Amino acid sequence: LNRVNASLEVVERYCANPDTKDICIGPVIWDLHLDAQEVLWVAGYELWSLDTGSGHLELYEIPEASPFGFTFIEGGSDGDLLWLAGGNGVLYELDTSSGDYRAHPRAAGQTPASEDARIDSLLRTPDSLWLGARNRLCSLQLDQEDLQCLSLDPPEGPGLRSQGTWVLHPDGQGGLWLGTSVGLAHFEPQTGGWRHLTTAEGLPGSAVYSILE
C-alpha cells in the first residue's frame, strides 16, 4: 500500500514492519474504505487497518475467510461497524471496536458450489445493504435480515450474462446503477424495472468498473 502526492510520487510505503519492509499489504488490494475515525481499511487476501495519523498498521483475522480474502468494504450506520464482502460468498459484519464479527452465509444468493460465489460489490442505503454478485443483485433488509436476490438474466429475456457486478451506485432518486462485465444497468426497486446500456448504445467498452456522477 502506497501513499502518493499530487505528482503521483510515492511518499510513503506502508508495511507492518517499517524497519525491514518485509510484511507489506498485498499482493492484491481490492478495495479501500476510510471510516469516520480516519482509519483506512484495506481489503485484499487479508483485512488490514491503517491509522492514517500514526501510520500504525494492523491485521484483522477472520479465519474462515482465508484464503479467499475480501473483495469489498462498506461502512455501517454505526461508525464502529463494517460490512465485508468475502471472496467465499459470505457477508461479514465486523465490530471494529471489539473485533467481534458474524457471518451471513451465502449472501451472494445461495450460489451453488459449482459457480463463482464471490461478492463483487456492496452499497449501503438507509434501509438496505445491496450486494452485487456476478449476474445477481441482492438486498439485505437491515431491520429484518431478510435477503432477496434478483437475477440480471430474467427468464423472459436474454439478460446481461454478466460475469461480475463490479460497482453499485445510487442514482439519487431511489434507483441503482450497476457496473457489470458486459455494460451498465439501471434498476428501479419501486417498479422492478431494468434498463441496460452496452456498447450497442455507445459505451466505449463492455466492462464498467466505476461510476461517478
Side-chain angles (χ1 to χ4, degrees):
L1 177 67
N2 297 306
R3 182 168 64 91
V4 300
N5 59 22
S7 301
L8 300 184
E9 299 169 330
V10 175
V11 296
E12 185 66 62
R13 181 169 179 249
Y14 293 103
C15 296
N17 188 333
D19 296 323
T20 61
K21 302 287 186 181
D22 60 352
I23 311 177
C24 295
I25 298 173
V28 175
I29 294 175
W30 296 114
D31 193 31
L32 301 172
H33 174 78
L34 185 66
D35 69 17
Q37 287 75 41
E38 297 294 311
V39 173
L40 182 67
W41 294 87
V42 185
Y45 290 130
E46 299 165 320
L47 178 68
W48 295 82
S49 67
L50 171 67
D51 187 316
T52 56
S54 67
H56 176 70
L57 192 62
E58 184 175 352
L59 174 66
Y60 272 70
E61 298 281 358
I62 298 182
E64 59 261 40
S66 179
F68 304 98
F70 304 92
T71 56
F72 216 86
I73 309 172
E74 181 75 343
S77 56
D78 185 332
D80 293 328
L81 177 66
L82 287 181
W83 294 97
L84 307 169
N88 54 358
V90 177
L91 177 69
Y92 296 93
E93 186 179 357
L94 172 66
D95 185 329
T96 60
S97 61
S98 66
D100 296 333
Y101 68 91
R102 65 184 183 124
H104 297 261
R106 287 292 173 233
Q110 295 76 46
T111 310
S114 60
E115 295 186 14
D116 186 357
R118 184 189 64 238
I119 301 171
D120 297 320
S121 52
L122 295 175
L123 174 68
R124 186 180 63 83
T125 59
D127 300 322
S128 305
L129 183 73
W130 294 89
L131 298 83
R134 196 170 179 175
N135 64 343
R136 292 176 306 282
L137 175 66
C138 303
S139 64
L140 177 67
Q141 301 300 315
L142 299 180
D143 57 344
Q144 304 173 4
E145 298 197 0
D146 181 27
L147 181 71
Q148 301 290 333
C149 292
L150 299 171
S151 174
L152 274 63
D153 299 326
E156 65 273 12
L160 286 179
R161 304 298 178 194
S162 176
Q163 297 302 305
T165 300
W166 309 122
V167 60
L168 302 174
H169 184 81
D171 67 1
Q173 300 178 358
L176 295 176
W177 288 103
L178 291 74
T180 78
S181 65
V182 289
L184 186 65
H186 184 265
F187 174 61
E188 177 51 63
Q190 298 300 322
T191 64
W194 287 94
R195 183 160 59 103
H196 298 155
L197 300 173
T198 66
T199 52
E201 285 76 37
L203 286 183
S206 296
V208 178
Y209 293 103
S210 61
I211 300 171
L212 177 65
E213 285 188 287

